[in-house]
Amino acid sequence: MAEPVLQLTDVVKNYGKTQALKGISLSVAPGEIVGLLGPNGAGKSTLFQLAGGLFAPDAGTVKVFGMNFRESASQILSRLGVMFQARAIDLDMTVEGNLKFHGALFGLHGRQLRERIEAAATLLEITDLLKRPVRTLSGGNQRRAEVARALLNNPDLLLMDEPSTGLDPTTRRMLVKHVQQVREQHNTSILWATHIVEEVADADRI
Ligand code: ADP
């Protein structure tokens, strides 16, 4: 079997007296879509923060692409796409401005950057919106712009923490469809956290 892109083993994370993760083990295979389903407070965001290297577990191990953050953070981050629960996109910049800035952080520039932006915008169907300030877009289109941004580095693993928060059911279905297309085109693994069962109905595993 191929090496997992994400491997959590017996992971524990406490916030003071609150035990947020109590010995969690989870692995995600290349190209696999895994839905992480649980009510508020279940520990999903905590798990994402560990998988994204924002902090280390109190016990257990977190490996991404077979590496750990302590030794190989930049190698991991170059192959990771992250979309947080809260909106994290500059509202005053255009969609294109946001994508260019984010791409530059990954060392993309010139023609390669333009091609990546074009490809991501096509996939998310936001090409017509590239010149618009993010603030003027609907919530659904802002989320699509965030997914496009998370794809610029052609990530091998996409972490999406409740990406459909605040979206109506139709837009939510669009987002699910787009994410499945990303997997089909790039064999990207996706970990999708949600408390909405329908959203992850087509995941390979829940
Ligand atoms: P979910 O994303 O599933 O809603 P979280 O990971 O946000 O769950 O939270 C898991 C538990 O940890 C909850 O009991 C929450 O109150 C607690 N928690 C989360 N973040 C913090 C924090 N920064 N400080 C203290 N407690 C926290």
Side-chain angles (χ1 to χ4, degrees):
M1 218 182 92
E3 183 179 48
V5 292
L6 175 64
Q7 177 99 59
L8 307 181
T9 311
D10 302 327
V11 166
V12 173
K13 176 67 192 173
N14 304 311
Y15 299 104
K17 290 203 176 85
T18 306
Q19 190 163 44
L21 297 176
K22 197 176 173 180
I24 292 281
S25 297
L26 169 76
S27 90
V28 179
E32 191 177 31
I33 300 184
V34 176
L36 192 64
L37 191 63
N40 289 331
K44 304 183 296 298
S45 292
T46 300
L47 193 153
F48 271 78
Q49 285 166 316
L50 290 165
L54 289 183
F55 49 69
D58 296 324
T61 57
V62 175
K63 286 201 163 185
V64 187
F65 313 124
M67 299 178 273
N68 65 52
F69 279 100
R70 209 176 50 251
E71 286 149 13
S72 315
S74 58
Q75 276 167 280
I76 295 173
L77 292 174
S78 70
R79 297 170 59 191
L80 202 60
V82 181
M83 198 174 151
F84 293 108
Q85 191 173 346
R87 188 172 52 195
I89 188 163
D90 192 307
L91 296 176
D92 293 320
M93 278 163 79
T94 62
V95 174
E96 188 177 41
N98 270 283
L99 295 178
K100 278 186 175 164
F101 179 74
H102 191 78
L105 294 179
F106 282 99
L108 298 168
H109 53 83
R111 185 170 161 185
Q112 192 187 27
L113 177 57
R114 281 196 303 279
E115 285 173 359
R116 293 279 181 95
I117 290 175
E118 199 182 300
T122 304
L123 189 60
L124 275 300
E125 299 177 36
I126 54 166
T127 305
D128 294 346
L129 306 176
L130 284 173
K131 304 288 184 204
R132 297 254 305 264
V134 172
R135 191 182 293 285
T136 66
L137 306 185
S138 68
N141 284 335
Q142 290 183 7
R143 280 316 244 175
R144 279 149 90 171
E146 283 192 272
V147 181
R149 186 182 59 177
L151 295 179
L152 285 181
N153 58 326
N154 282 344
D156 293 316
L157 173 62
L158 188 56
L159 300 173
M160 305 182 90
D161 190 4
E162 305 202 15
S164 63
T165 300
L167 301 186
D168 62 67
T170 310
T171 313
R172 215 186 288 142
R173 277 194 292 276
M174 284 287 282
L175 193 61
V176 171
K177 188 189 92 180
H178 289 316
V179 166
Q180 280 165 346
Q181 283 170 347
V182 170
R183 191 262 296 267
E184 276 157 34
Q185 289 194 8
H186 299 289
N187 199 40
T188 309
S189 305
I190 295 155
L191 186 62
W192 177 303
T194 182
H195 55 265
I196 302 166
V197 181
E198 294 79 28
E199 255 180 43
V200 286
D202 294 330
D204 301 312
R205 210 147 48 84
I206 298 177

